[in-house]
Amino acid sequence: MSLRTRTADHVEDVSPGSGALPPRAWYATSDAKSLSLNGSWRFRLSPTADAEDDSFAAPGYDAGDWAEISVPGHWVLQGHGSPVYTNHRYPFPVDPPRVPTENPTGDHLRVFDLPADWPAPSGGGAGLRFDGVESCARVWLNGTDLGHFKGSRLPHEFPVGPLLRAGGNVLAVRVHQWSAGSYLEDQDQWWLPGVFRDVTLLHRPAGGVADFFVHASYDHTAGAGTLRVDSDVPGRVTVPELGIDIATGEPATVPVAPWSAESPRLYDGVLATGGERVPLRVGFRTVELSDGLIEVNGLPVLFKGVNRHEWHPERGRALDLETMREDVLLMKRHNINAVRTSHYPPHPAFLDLCDTYGLWVIDECDLETHGFTEQGWRDNPVDDDRWTPALLDRAARMVERDKNHPSVVIWSLGNEAGTGRGLTAMAAWIRARDSSRPVHYEGDHDCRDTDVYSRMYVGHAEVERIGRGLDGGPRKRRALPFLLCEYAHAMGNGPGGLADYQRLFEAHGRLQGGFVWEWIDHGIAHPELGYAYGGDFGEELHDGNFVCDGLLFPDRRPSPGLAEYKKVIEPVAIAASPPRERSRRPGTDAHGTVRITNRYDATDLSALAFTWAYDVEGATVRSGTLPVPALAPGESAEVGLPAVPAGAPAGEAHWTVRAVLASGTAWAPPGHVVAWGQIPASARRVPYVAATARPVHGDGLVTLGPGVFDARTGAPRTIGGVAVTGLRLDVWRATTDNDDGAAWQGDPRHGPLWRGLGLHRMRHRLDAVEAGGDALTVRTRVAPAGGELGLSAVYRWTSGGDRLRLTVSTVPEGHWSVPLPRLGIRFGLSGADRVRWYGGGPGEAYPDTRTASAAGRWESAVDDMQTPYVRPQENGARIDVRWAELGGLRVEGDPAFFLTVRRWTTEQLDAAAHRSDLVPGGTVWVNLDHGQHGIGSQSCGPGPLPRYHLRAEPAEFSFVFSPQSSSSQSSSPQSMSPQSSSSPPGTRLA
């Protein structure tokens, strides 16, 4: 006889559950009563699913010695157990639908009273709704077993009316971390068990609203919208602003303004049945596939999107409304117009926000079985008929909950679940229920079940072939629009190549954009480490910091990648007019025109105001407003600029043109910068030093102008009285996540190749010190141990008296099969707290992440020059720097250079695993780089394009050093960055 308990058989049951009501449309409010059961709950953790019986669910059970936790919440983030992170490997043996005996199980108890004004039982029933529980729950109310459910990111509602009491109601919920449902939820995120979304008691009045479907289409040829609301319970629909008062099921067609992500026009209405009034927010829009394109309201859409997991560094996936609102506002302010809800439906309130503020949404089902790739997709649930009811249940709960949101324009079957009959069944069910939206699924490369050809992490060249229709494949696929549902993996420093992708999207109509992976780093706040990632909780199986791959840091500060993305996808292009189209006109010269192009999908430029500024050497000389016509989408105009301001000083000059909000919107104040461009007006003056001084020997030193050098090594000791240490050629950078790449990739990964060659342990051989004539020349060879590969490096110092010029000449020796990480010089200063520079800013930039870098005068604290990636790596370079001042020195470059300043060495940065490993020292280390290798996105995508490779080839570059003047040291910031609405890492000087 078996002694195994039967109390947990539901855990390994492949069915979606039992006892729950059919899914229905979600709505935030109605005039029916509701009671939030969020708050403090009693909690007990057991090591297995059947360690305890169900006596805790009975009224009168004494849980006084239990712990307390917050609901919504995850118990592993509240001191009970530990989180686990894996990308796609299941953190338990794969034997579907079986799960380990070691199955952390949390018993939750909440005792509650009904409000005094809660309707009497004769006034209707009640429903108990759970909006999200991971991964399997069994529910009791007042000792009665209501049922169980799986589908962690989906709502489940139970009928409870007859069970309610006026006081002392006992709600008991048993949650299992692992279940059969876990095999369907392998979604590249922390495994976090718990009741992490709202729990609500809903009064269901007699004759109250049940399920309803708002059909609100828009005819762009007639400018009219047609509204029909189908309701399980008959009633009336009113929209006062439109004069609509109709019965449910009855259509009404009236002139309307359509809803779009650019202009999210909503009309307030009411669905009234005999027992309930539900507010409606109606957005009229039509989504259709037309001539191989996704069109909304008759116009093709270019998706400028992000993938968004739900995340908070302290609360995990238990998000409050304000955090969700912050996400949406940040997206809108950074020109993002679309969200893919990877890889599950979000909290329903998030979709309300997308409706309100305007974002296109790909709503993705709570499904991913990625771990089965480890066994060649054998036993994959989506191709096993036993699991099909669970798959259909998940599809239905998503569609029924979210079908009334105008922001939802595409349904997605899930992510990385292979292929199989279950997916086909899901697609068929969705189309039968809602034919008004296309169906998406990336894994269906033949597009058998989908309406969109979708791929992830495809390189630029293949994307271009697809755009040109040269990709081949089935005939059906070739006639479908193309989306990159994931691209530009934003892990660590990067992603690089965004501008190159965007040029392809804008050049080929079939390419309807993409969704950057992803929105936010999933770092967990940690008292010692700053933010923890995979492996920091002792997991036996984990994928490290692959969980930190977002455009936001865990605390929701924008990363440089988000600033770059904002600039790349800005909806107004501002550029110099082509020479053949420049014309003279009153108040302008032959070069005084700028081309403005409207890149919105559906709106003109009437909501924007344009300004100009004339900047010399990064300082604004004069500024004003620029009249620009209200261009229609796709239109361009050549707009005249004013004459160069009279009396403007000589020097390198730029016109800076900005497009800003003329009036405030729901998502940003007036003056918010939407787009900007810089047009060169005059060239830079290259620094020049006449070699008039001669080296002077004495006491083991060589003096040349303001420089004092060690006579034996030729190394500078001081420049202008400022102590300088360790000046030498530097080719190494602390490898980025994108340098290191992903182990499964077949393309060369430069980080491991660099280490294999020993570029992180270069040795410097002194060959000669020559002090004679007008120069001090130092000849060296820089190479790693173990091979013949290296570089010859010659440092030639000259001076005109009060300035010192260093010319560095390098020649690669041996067979260089890889590009260099960087090429420049590094030195240390004994003290520097602030940095001023003229060049690109305010934030970091590299060869393929430079679009957001604006030429200007900038100032920053040394500590703020660092970009705080969760896993430390190369960061903080400012590009196209003409001159910089720090620690008493002024440095000018010929040509312009990359500037990096930090309080630790590159070697210390390279060795650090967390921010807390970086301890500032007494020396500030400065890198002046002639070149940097590109960034790319090879952490899960293509590396940098060849044109961004730093090739090992002969190079020569120069720097001019001089003492920093006292007047520049006392300068103060006067204006802010031209391109970012968030606090920049540098401040612009007027």
Side-chain angles (χ1 to χ4, degrees), residues 841-907:
E844 75 178 23
Y846 292 81
D848 56 350
T849 65
R850 60 176 299 154
T851 311
S853 183
R857 294 192 191 183
W858 307 95
E859 180 170 343
S860 172
V862 168
D863 293 341
D864 293 336
M865 295 286 281
Q866 319 311 308
T867 304
Y869 296 114
V870 174
R871 185 192 74 81
Q873 56 198 274
E874 166 61 33
N875 72 88
R878 270 54 175 185
I879 202 170
D880 290 337
V881 175
R882 284 75 154 173
W883 58 256
E885 295 176 337
L886 72 163
L889 281 183
R890 178 182 174 93
V891 184
E892 301 168 76
D894 177 17
F897 57 95
F898 292 85
L899 171 69
T900 308
V901 184
R902 52 176 66 110
R903 296 190 187 277
W904 35 77
T905 65
T906 298
E907 291 74 19

Side-chain angles (χ1 to χ4, degrees), residues 426-435 439 449-451 476:
M426 292 171 69
W429 186 93
I430 291 173
R431 288 195 179 94
R433 179 59 172 143
D434 177 24
S435 61
V439 174
D449 299 321
T450 57
D451 304 308
K476 176 187 176 184

Side-chain angles (χ1 to χ4, degrees), residues 392-414:
L392 291 173
D393 181 76
R394 288 171 183 250
R397 290 187 183 280
M398 172 184 70
V399 170
E400 301 296 9
R401 192 196 76 169
D402 298 341
K403 59 184 178 285
N404 295 328
H405 290 282
S407 59
V408 176
V409 292
I410 297 175
W411 299 118
S412 179
L413 302 180

Side-chain angles (χ1 to χ4, degrees), residues 304-320:
K304 303 170 182 178
V306 291
N307 285 275
R308 175 185 177 269
H309 270 296
E310 295 182 312
W311 187 251
H312 188 280
E314 296 171 344
R315 300 192 300 271
R317 289 186 287 276
L319 300 190
D320 59 16

Side-chain angles (χ1 to χ4, degrees), residues 441-480:
Y441 175 64
E442 185 273 339
D444 183 13
H445 289 179
D446 290 336
C447 300
R448 181 183 66 177
D449 299 321
T450 57
D451 304 308
V452 181
Y453 179 28
S454 177
R455 295 280 298 282
M456 55 175 66
Y457 307 113
V458 179
H460 298 80
E462 186 177 357
V463 170
E464 184 170 19
R465 288 197 300 273
I466 293 169
R468 294 181 181 276
L470 303 176
D471 53 308
R475 181 183 298 273
K476 176 187 176 184
R477 190 184 81 183
R478 297 199 306 272
L480 293 179

Side-chain angles (χ1 to χ4, degrees), residues 715-928:
R717 295 274 191 88
T718 63
I719 299 176
V722 176
V724 176
T725 60
L727 189 148
R728 62 187 190 182
L729 191 75
D730 195 7
V731 300
W732 180 247
R733 72 185 188 193
T735 54
T736 69
D737 293 313
N738 288 309
D739 289 336
D740 291 334
W744 63 81
Q745 293 175 321
D747 293 339
R749 296 183 290 133
H750 289 126
L753 291 173
W754 292 335
R755 288 189 195 275
L757 290 173
L759 300 190
H760 60 306
R761 47 178 176 81
M762 300 293 270
R763 298 186 180 184
H764 298 254
R765 187 184 73 206
L766 178 63
D767 289 338
V769 177
E770 303 164 359
D774 60 1
L776 171 65
T777 303
V778 182
R779 302 183 186 277
T780 70
R781 187 174 191 270
V782 182
E788 63 177 359
L789 189 108
L791 302 100
S792 69
V794 177
Y795 308 85
R796 187 172 188 271
W797 298 89
T798 58
S799 177
D802 58 353
R803 302 166 78 209
L804 192 64
R805 184 183 186 96
L806 167 64
T807 299
V808 182
S809 303
T810 65
V811 177
E813 299 176 349
H815 177 61
W816 283 85
S817 59
V818 296
L820 292 167
R822 71 181 338 137
L823 179 65
I825 62 169
R826 178 176 78 173
F827 59 89
L829 298 176
S830 59
D833 292 318
R834 299 198 67 77
V835 186
R836 288 166 40 95
W837 74 97
Y838 168 42
E844 75 178 23
Y846 292 81
D848 56 350
T849 65
R850 60 176 299 154
T851 311
S853 183
R857 294 192 191 183
W858 307 95
E859 180 170 343
S860 172
V862 168
D863 293 341
D864 293 336
M865 295 286 281
Q866 319 311 308
T867 304
Y869 296 114
V870 174
R871 185 192 74 81
Q873 56 198 274
E874 166 61 33
N875 72 88
R878 270 54 175 185
I879 202 170
D880 290 337
V881 175
R882 284 75 154 173
W883 58 256
E885 295 176 337
L886 72 163
L889 281 183
R890 178 182 174 93
V891 184
E892 301 168 76
D894 177 17
F897 57 95
F898 292 85
L899 171 69
T900 308
V901 184
R902 52 176 66 110
R903 296 190 187 277
W904 35 77
T905 65
T906 298
E907 291 74 19
Q908 290 168 329
L909 181 64
D910 196 26
H914 295 88
R915 298 181 196 174
S916 54
D917 295 331
L918 295 170
V919 180
T923 300
V924 171
W925 292 96
V926 182
N927 277 90
L928 310 177

